[in-house]
Amino acid sequence: MLEFIVDLARFMKKQKNYWLLPILFVLVIISGLLAVTKGSVVAPFIYTLF
């Protein structure tokens, strides 16, 4: 997984695709929230945010 992140960072630096960084950041945050709240007591409160 770390190798993939390093490859992605090198690709973005070489191709000058810095606009991808905020998109990836938001995707990681949302997927992390979904993973944490799956089967959790906090899940109903998180779902009201979206």
Side-chain angles (χ1 to χ4, degrees):
M1 184 68 183
L2 185 61
E3 184 179 337
F4 173 73
I5 295 171
V6 171
D7 274 347
L8 186 61
R10 286 182 187 155
F11 171 76
M12 287 174 35
K13 187 174 182 179
K14 183 178 178 184
Q15 297 294 325
K16 309 247 188 279
N17 287 338
Y18 298 118
W19 57 271
L20 288 173
L21 195 59
I23 296 170
L24 291 174
F25 184 71
V26 168
L27 285 175
V28 167
I29 294 293
I30 290 174
S31 62
L33 274 174
L34 289 175
V36 167
T37 60
K38 188 171 185 173
S40 173
V41 177
V42 185
F45 301 110
I46 296 296
Y47 290 133
T48 59
L49 294 176
F50 298 106

